[in-house]
Amino acid sequence: MPRSLSFRAREATRARTSWYEAARHRTIRRCIGSRNDRSKHVKYVSTRGMAPPLSFDATLLSGLASDGGLYLPGSYPRLSEAAIADLAGRPYAHVADTIVSPFVAGAIAPTALTAMIDAAYEAFRHKAVAPLVQIDSNLFVLELFHGPTLAFKDLAMQLLARMIDHALAAKGEHATIIGATSGDTGAAAIEAFAGLPRVDVFILYPHGRVSEVQRRQMTTVEAANIHTIAIEGTFDDAQASVKALFADARLCADLRLCGVNSINIARILAQIVYYFTSATALGAPRRDVSFTVPTGNFGDIFAGWIAKRMGLPVERFVIATNANDILQRTLATGCYELAAVSATQSPSMDIQVSSNFERLLFEAYDRDAGAITRLMAELGKSRSFVIGQSALASIRAEFDAFRTDEAETTREIARTWREARYIADPHTAVAISAARRAQAKRPATPQIVLGTAHPAKFPDAIERAIGQRPALPEPLAALHDKAERIAILPNDLPGIERFIRERARTGSRAATTAKVAS
Ligand SMILES: *Cc1c(COP(=O)(O)O)cnc(C)c1O
């Protein structure tokens, strides 16, 4: 199937501004003012304070800041109460336009942004893109798994791919994306970047250590710019190889390496949108809501925190962790302390370093980059740091955290099925369990649990809990009949580099580096 062709044809159709799009732009201008006003263009600053502030497109193509920090908007645009009320019941793409446009003003023209947003979400299997389902009194699941790879990462990755392609087209350049994955990130990136003419994607995963659905999602994509590499080793081996490739300045310059993990701020900006669609559906801004988020790298929940800064009334953010509970311990004790990673049924949350937590710390320290640099140096030295009293108090004023272990996760999948006839995937179940505990304290506030994966991605965990395997939704059911294309390589850096150099369509002398992790 000539995917690149259909992609371009769709973009061309979308580029024509309809009456409806013009109306959308009028609403956006009312909300945020004219996007041609240069003084309103958001600059991006590093949490470590030493890297120069960048424009949106420069941030988009860089990933990690040169001082090792993460980029954040220099300021957050604020929506009036009337503007937020006006979002209620609007199509997802309309809300996405309103929320994302102030962050990209000056870098992406309004009509181009509209076209990208429409194309990014038109292939979702649910017309609402991110529908809400009620599973108990005042308890709702926000389903973020109706995209092409059945996990919430599609919502950001589909838009990110189009933004990167747009930025490269403007410069007449070409980029190479290299990433290591334990499953979801790789599949979402492959699906989003397949067929793009200016980007080559190389995804490394541990041979024999991802689920069959996850592997087939990565290996059955036919586009010529996609390269899936099974490394004979563990996820840590794949990750170490990717880090070594990014540390190679020559390679970065030759191939213009670009990162697509949640270090990339554009991914987080795209995730702000569904906090607005779901909260307004339940009565915001007249009524507060709370969110419970299955958390790993802290990107998703941090997008919610930005929504609150933009004016959305949120009572509490609940961090839900599995047995890898570094964030739950941090909120309880004030000490951020690394521990060994244990493998769970919710593998996308099996992390040791929660990268985006640095962004919240930067805000909790009133943007004191010196303080963040000291904390991160301490982490490098002693594998832990202690958060200052006032910063900790400001985090606790907005966040709660609960841990759910393996047995409780299985019990929660069973309970939700028994009581609500709803099948929650293990990541979502970890969050439902946390939400129930948070709700016991504040039963009057609607609790919105972010449903981050489709249960069919984790059939073994579901079968253990309820005795049946969920069916893969159409058209993914055909996944098992498609031919696979995989290169199996030994865990050997020079060999991996040679493989990539031989296949990347290098187009630029400019160097951009970023760290990529799953
Ligand atoms: C990536 C992922 C998460 C964790 O999201 P973060 O933004 O890293 O906190 C949770 N659930 C699923 C299914 C994921 O793929």
Side-chain angles (χ1 to χ4, degrees):
M1 152 99 180
R3 199 197 142 100
S4 59
L5 215 134
S6 72
F7 177 83
R8 274 199 295 274
R10 277 209 308 273
E11 303 285 307
T13 318
R14 291 291 168 183
R16 275 185 268 121
T17 310
S18 67
W19 170 86
Y20 175 69
E21 281 157 358
R24 210 152 105 184
H25 292 142
R26 277 197 299 280
T27 327
I28 294 162
R29 277 195 297 278
R30 260 209 320 281
C31 295
I32 60 141
S34 165
R35 283 185 283 183
N36 295 324
D37 180 351
R38 288 217 144 262
S39 66
K40 286 198 175 136
H41 294 179
V42 174
K43 277 278 180 191
Y44 290 80
V45 299
S46 166
T47 51
R48 311 262 175 108
M50 301 301 281
L54 295 182
S55 65
F56 173 76
D57 24 347
T59 312
L60 176 71
L61 295 177
S62 76
L64 205 67
S66 59
D67 56 8
L70 307 183
Y71 279 108
L72 272 179
S75 62
Y76 299 108
R78 220 178 146 81
L79 270 63
S80 69
E81 216 181 299
I84 295 172
D86 185 61
L87 297 176
R90 300 276 190 183
Y92 190 89
H94 175 108
V95 180
D97 230 340
T98 309
I99 299 304
V100 175
S101 61
F103 291 104
V104 306
I108 304 177
T111 48
L113 181 66
T114 297
M116 284 183 229
I117 286 173
D118 286 344
Y121 300 113
E122 75 176 359
F124 277 57
R125 291 182 318 282
H126 198 295
K127 279 202 85 173
V129 179
L132 267 176
V133 175
Q134 185 161 13
I135 59 163
D136 204 338
S137 306
N138 239 359
L139 185 60
F140 301 83
V141 173
L142 173 60
E143 294 187 338
L144 301 173
F145 48 73
H146 295 287
T149 72
L150 307 180
F152 91 97
K153 296 200 166 64
D154 288 326
L155 280 118
M157 206 69 87
Q158 286 289 325
L159 188 55
L160 179 75
R162 289 169 169 88
M163 285 178 166
I164 287 179
D165 192 53
H166 178 267
L168 290 170
K171 293 172 185 290
E173 288 179 6
H174 199 274
T176 307
I177 284 163
I178 303 180
T181 186
S182 54
D184 290 341
T185 304
I190 284 172
E191 187 64 36
F193 286 91
L196 293 190
R198 291 173 202 87
V199 190
D200 292 313
V201 178
F202 295 85
I203 297 292
L204 281 64
Y205 73 87
H207 185 42
R209 291 175 203 245
V210 299
S211 80
E212 187 178 353
V213 172
Q214 287 176 323
R215 189 194 71 236
R216 286 184 169 275
Q217 282 184 331
M218 294 192 278
T219 58
T220 58
V221 173
E222 287 170 27
N225 68 326
I226 299 297
H227 306 274
T228 310
I229 305 171
I231 295 295
E232 289 174 327
T234 64
F235 169 67
D236 290 334
D237 293 330
Q239 171 110 302
S241 293
V242 168
K243 284 190 172 157
L245 294 169
F246 272 90
D248 179 343
R250 251 307 275 294
L251 189 75
C252 286
D254 290 350
L255 303 188
R256 198 193 219 292
L257 298 192
C258 177
V260 295
N261 67 336
S262 58
I263 298 305
N264 196 315
I265 188 70
R267 256 181 74 182
I268 292 181
L269 300 178
Q271 291 170 199
I272 300 169
V273 178
Y274 44 75
Y275 286 90
F276 277 94
T277 58
S278 57
T280 54
L282 294 180
R286 276 181 297 103
R287 181 161 79 148
D288 285 15
V289 298
S290 288
F291 287 97
T292 303
V293 186
T295 296
N297 241 334
F298 209 76
D300 205 6
I301 199 166
F302 189 73
W305 185 90
I306 296 179
K308 188 173 180 184
R309 288 288 89 69
M310 293 176 76
L312 191 69
V314 177
E315 189 180 67
R316 305 292 293 172
F317 290 104
V318 181
I319 301 167
T321 75
N322 62 23
N324 298 289
D325 59 356
I326 181 164
L327 291 172
Q328 187 272 328
R329 286 183 284 114
T330 302
L331 257 74
T333 66
C335 180
Y336 183 96
E337 195 171 13
L338 300 184
V341 180
S342 66
T344 72
Q345 309 167 71
S346 43
S348 299
M349 294 151 73
D350 292 348
I351 57 106
Q352 189 174 29
V353 181
S354 192
S355 314
N356 287 290
F357 193 61
E358 179 170 339
R359 287 186 159 122
L360 181 69
L361 282 172
F362 181 63
E363 301 289 3
Y365 274 87
D366 289 326
R367 300 202 152 202
D368 178 353
I372 302 308
T373 306
R374 283 191 295 278
L375 292 182
M376 293 304 148
E378 184 62 34
L379 182 67
K381 220 166 56 215
S382 60
R383 295 174 58 81
S384 71
F385 59 77
V386 175
I387 302 173
Q389 278 305 321
S390 78
L392 182 62
S394 79
I395 292 172
R396 284 176 174 160
E398 295 185 289
F399 290 86
D400 287 315
F402 295 96
R403 165 194 206 268
T404 303
D405 69 18
E406 290 294 274
E408 284 173 294
T409 304
T410 301
R411 276 201 298 275
E412 185 57 62
I413 295 170
R415 174 180 174 180
T416 306
W417 170 243
R418 198 172 58 242
E419 293 181 359
R421 286 289 157 215
Y422 187 81
I423 303 181
D425 98 283
H427 303 78
T428 308
V430 162
I432 294 173
S433 170
R436 292 191 198 279
R437 281 170 273 168
Q439 205 174 28
K441 288 196 236 168
R442 301 163 200 273
T445 311
Q447 263 294 345
I448 302 173
V449 170
L450 271 56
T452 50
H454 193 289
K457 267 194 123 160
F458 302 95
D460 297 337
I462 302 300
E463 187 171 23
R464 264 197 304 279
I466 67 170
Q468 55 173 283
R469 293 175 82 79
L472 266 186
E474 292 287 342
L476 282 167
L479 211 53
H480 294 282
D481 306 327
K482 289 189 187 166
E484 293 190 75
R485 195 163 54 94
I486 326 176
I488 301 171
L489 295 186
N491 178 34
D492 158 60
L493 193 60
I496 296 167
E497 178 175 340
R498 206 174 326 116
F499 181 92
I500 293 172
R501 278 191 181 274
E502 280 167 13
R503 285 158 185 82
R505 298 165 295 170
T506 318
S508 162
R509 268 150 276 108
T512 312
T513 60
K515 277 212 177 121
V516 177
S518 181

